[in-house]
Amino acid sequence: MTIYPARSLVILTGLPGAGKTTLLRRLYDLDGTESAPVTVGAVTVIDSQQSRSRWAGRPRWAPKPVRTGLVFATHMWRIRSGVRAGGPVIAHNRGCGPFVLRAFAWLARRHGAQLHLLLLDAPPEVALAGQYARGRVAAPTTFTRHQRHWRALLERVRAGDPAPAASARVLDREDADRLEVIHFGDHRGLAVPGG
């Protein structure tokens, strides 16, 4: 069992469609209608779907790239607010590029927390099928970029380098299915199989 420190930002990341939202819903009893972060015990649970639900196609006059940017900014602001509040945060984020991870590490340090990564590893074809199943498919160039960043991050983590995070764990889909609870200090959080 892995226990994260009480002041932690755990980023659940993986390819789009890998099953991150599904995992958070199961662990924290979410139903997918939430439009704001959810507090479970002392843990703040932040899924990007919450920000998409918050805006739900608004503002209607704005082109899709503007709405996408607004959803992203809302999601990042909510992660920042959760970390600033001082309690443990677990957040879904599909971006795993170096700049994004360094930004999360900086945010965590600035507020006296640690960044930890939980990597949900699904083969690209499985992730792509997941995108089609949810009805939201990443553009081919976007998905290719995600795959490139993902492969680089996995290689580093499997070689023992979690930087810029304090720790990183890789879960395959079977591991994720067995995952039952996460612990943050004394608070209910996440127990990682094999940890």
Side-chain angles (χ1 to χ4, degrees):
M1 176 171 62
T2 295
I3 300 177
Y4 295 109
R7 297 207 60 166
S8 291
L9 168 60
V10 174
I11 295 293
L12 173 61
T13 189
L15 291 174
K20 301 177 294 295
T21 290
T22 300
L23 179 58
L24 285 181
R25 286 181 183 176
R26 181 173 61 78
L27 287 174
Y28 294 102
D29 199 27
L30 308 179
D31 62 18
T33 64
E34 298 84 5
S35 59
V38 174
T39 301
V40 179
V43 181
T44 301
V45 184
I46 305 173
D47 186 353
S48 58
Q49 179 60 46
Q50 296 161 349
S51 294
R52 279 190 290 276
S53 296
R54 159 67 178 85
W55 292 105
R58 293 171 293 152
R60 298 197 194 319
W61 55 265
K64 187 174 187 296
V66 172
R67 293 196 304 269
T68 299
L70 186 59
V71 167
F72 176 76
T74 301
H75 181 58
M76 297 305 286
W77 180 262
R78 288 172 166 182
I79 293 173
R80 176 181 178 270
S81 297
V83 174
R84 283 185 66 190
V89 174
I90 182 163
H92 161 296
N93 195 71
R94 72 180 187 175
C96 57
F99 175 77
V100 173
L101 297 181
R102 285 196 297 269
F104 282 132
W106 174 84
L107 174 66
R109 282 194 309 272
R110 184 167 186 227
H111 297 289
Q114 289 183 347
L115 172 65
H116 299 272
L117 299 177
L118 190 58
L119 291 79
L120 183 52
D121 187 22
E125 61 274 12
V126 171
L128 190 57
Q131 293 176 43
Y132 279 103
R134 74 186 183 192
R136 204 172 62 252
V137 180
T141 54
T142 301
F143 191 51
T144 298
R145 185 178 68 250
H146 279 297
Q147 289 181 74
R148 187 174 63 249
H149 289 315
W150 181 247
R151 282 193 300 268
L153 177 59
L154 275 180
E155 286 175 10
R156 283 197 300 100
V157 168
R158 287 180 169 149
D161 178 12
S167 74
R169 291 273 183 171
V170 180
L171 301 178
D172 62 22
R173 294 289 288 261
E174 290 182 2
D175 291 334
D177 288 344
R178 289 194 300 267
L179 191 61
E180 294 182 1
V181 65
I182 299 175
H183 288 281
F184 292 90
D186 293 332
H187 303 298
R188 180 182 166 111
L190 173 84
V192 179

